[in-house]
Amino acid sequence: MDQLVDSGLVKSIPDLYRLTLEQLVELERMGKKSAENLLDGIEASKKRGLARVLTGLGILHVGERMAEILAEEFGNIDDLMEASAERLARIKGVGPKLAESISKSFHSADGRRSLKICDLKASS
């Protein structure tokens, strides 16, 4: 993993989802089979549940427990993305500042682009 960061291929979580076999086999000590296994693992990560995806997105102040709370409350990424800061603030454990942070993350151009890159939302 260090190699991916050191090479500049990965600067943020969404960068993982842009990696190609060609890029990976160019890395030192990365054969074709290892590169394929890594890409398969990255693809499988898309199916590991909403809470894990939310944790991986790196939303400010959204750790594992908060990601679980949000996943339980909304059930899917689409409903969470559409939630207003006011709606988020009504969830136990989510205060106004956190609600605003989450809302801004999903309503910003970067946030929507990250979700699209991660193949979590088809439209932007």
Side-chain angles (χ1 to χ4, degrees):
M1 209 47 143
D2 290 339
Q3 228 184 143
L4 295 173
V5 174
D6 293 343
S7 69
L9 290 174
V10 175
K11 295 177 183 146
S12 64
I13 297 291
D15 291 340
L16 287 171
Y17 295 91
R18 283 186 227 143
L19 292 172
T20 65
L21 183 64
E22 293 76 24
Q23 291 173 312
L24 293 173
V25 295
E26 293 293 319
L27 297 172
E28 189 176 322
R29 298 185 319 264
M30 179 70 75
K32 183 178 180 188
K33 185 64 179 169
S34 295
E36 288 171 345
N37 288 340
L38 177 59
L39 291 173
D40 289 345
I42 291 168
E43 185 62 30
S45 74
K46 295 177 185 178
K47 298 169 182 74
R48 290 200 178 120
L50 181 56
R52 292 190 114 199
V53 170
L54 292 174
T55 302
L57 288 174
I59 300 168
L60 189 62
H61 304 299
V62 175
E64 288 181 32
R65 181 63 192 131
M66 183 52 58
E68 289 171 4
I69 291 168
L70 294 170
E72 288 171 18
E73 181 73 22
F74 292 97
N76 65 70
I77 195 76
D78 295 319
D79 290 345
L80 176 56
M81 286 178 64
E82 298 308 316
S84 66
E86 293 78 22
R87 166 69 177 91
L88 290 162
R90 290 194 302 263
I91 300 168
K92 184 177 180 177
V94 178
K97 287 185 180 184
L98 178 55
E100 191 63 35
S101 174
I102 295 167
S103 180
K104 282 184 180 178
S105 292
F106 286 119
H107 292 99
S108 72
D110 286 340
R112 293 208 179 253
R113 188 171 31 258
S114 292
L115 291 169
K116 187 172 183 181
I117 289 166
C118 295
D119 198 23
L120 298 171
K121 176 84 173 153
S123 60
S124 56

